[in-house]
Amino acid sequence: MRIRQASRRGVGANNEDRLGAGADWAFVLDGATAPAGVASGCVHDVSWLVDRLAEALRATLSTPMPLADALAVAIERVRYAHGGACDLDNPDSPSATVALARRREDGFDYLVLADTAVVFAQEDGTVRAVSDDRVDRLPGGRPYSRQLVRESRNAPGGFWVASTVPEAAYEALTGTVLTSEFALMSDGCSRLVDYYGHSWREVWDHLRVHGPHSLVDWVRAEEERHGVALGKLHDDATVLHAVFAPDQTRSLVRAVR
């Protein structure tokens, strides 16, 4: 598998995104920065969480278990690593969004939990991005109250993230794509579409021609030019572009929940 990747810190003190890849799998994680004053009930920060989750995924994705099982086991391992000093029932415990991909004989399987994205070209030439937008569909519209987010996180009818609840893995969006090429990216990169009106075709073509570092440069230029209506001016931005095999060119999606 040929991999190109870039990850750049935003305005925070640390980059809370993580990425990883093996011979036939890849992932991108986006740690959720907690608002000031939120009591997580945990002695660990988000960087600790994404480091441990990345380590666990490197092990579980190397096994033949389905992607949802691989993520659930990884979350369980991180839960165990917390030790006895953290309140693991606190819904504000450190969390992350997840995008996974793993090769299969005729393409690749993917899993998306929350607002990371997997991007690929379909057989008809159109470009598709799969992202879990349930956090954008909470009642009342943005900006959400802290209480609403707290009550909706990892709860039926709300949205799901990788934190302390292994069952969240089975709420992810999953599917199979019969193609050899894909990209995984954090929402710091998908701002190009969500905030600035570019198409996924434009993003895909730029990434393929100019590479991941140039894509992040483009994000930063748009942020400086247009600003950000909600959130940080510069978010952590991570993108991984992968090609499994040059002869796998068909694109057929069988998306399932």
Side-chain angles (χ1 to χ4, degrees):
M1 180 168 67
R2 180 170 61 86
I3 293 288
R4 299 188 295 171
Q5 62 191 45
S7 187
R8 195 174 305 172
R9 179 175 61 87
V11 298
N14 301 300
N15 186 345
E16 295 169 343
D17 288 357
R18 298 292 184 272
L19 51 76
D24 61 356
W25 52 263
F27 66 78
V28 163
L29 309 177
D30 183 354
T33 304
V38 170
S40 69
C42 185
V43 301
H44 305 106
D45 61 11
V46 175
S47 292
W48 180 94
L49 181 281
V50 290
D51 283 340
R52 298 307 180 280
L53 186 57
E55 180 182 6
L57 283 170
R58 289 184 181 99
T60 61
L61 288 173
S62 298
T63 73
M65 70 177 71
L67 292 182
D69 290 343
L71 178 57
V73 172
I75 294 173
E76 184 62 43
R77 291 183 180 182
V78 176
R79 182 181 172 91
Y80 179 80
H82 276 276
C86 302
D87 177 9
L88 300 184
D89 293 325
N90 187 322
D92 291 322
S93 188
S95 64
T97 71
V98 181
L100 310 177
R102 186 168 59 199
R103 183 177 186 172
R104 55 183 294 153
E105 182 178 355
D106 52 357
F108 70 93
D109 296 324
Y110 68 79
L111 178 151
V112 176
L113 189 64
D115 57 5
T116 42
V118 55
V119 187
F120 50 89
Q122 301 185 102
E123 187 176 30
D124 62 2
T126 60
V127 175
R128 183 181 176 193
V130 179
S131 184
D132 178 359
D133 67 352
R134 279 172 285 187
V135 72
D136 295 322
R137 293 188 273 117
L138 299 182
R142 293 182 184 272
Y144 301 135
S145 70
R146 290 185 182 180
Q147 186 60 28
L148 175 63
V149 173
R150 193 173 196 273
E151 292 173 351
S152 302
R153 184 182 289 112
N154 284 347
F159 66 99
W160 300 83
V161 290
S163 181
T164 60
V165 181
E167 292 77 13
Y170 301 102
E171 301 293 336
L173 306 182
T174 60
T176 297
V177 183
L178 304 185
T179 187
S180 61
E181 185 178 8
F182 64 89
L184 307 177
M185 60 184 67
S186 66
D187 66 342
C189 286
S190 57
R191 284 181 167 194
L192 288 167
V193 175
D194 299 334
Y195 288 15
Y196 304 120
H198 298 288
S199 69
W200 281 113
R201 163 58 67 185
E202 292 174 295
V203 172
W204 178 252
D205 288 347
H206 187 107
L207 175 62
R208 297 185 78 222
V209 173
H210 301 291
H213 290 282
S214 179
L215 186 75
V216 176
D217 287 341
W218 185 18
V219 174
R220 293 292 184 254
E222 291 291 77
E223 291 166 338
E224 292 291 345
R225 183 178 298 114
H226 301 293
V228 174
L230 292 173
K232 314 165 188 174
L233 175 60
H234 302 305
D235 196 4
D236 299 336
T238 298
V239 57
L240 182 152
H241 176 230
V243 180
F244 281 130
D247 60 340
Q248 294 175 308
T249 56
R250 295 175 300 158
S251 297
L252 175 63
V253 181
R254 298 191 300 272
V256 298
R257 283 289 300 275

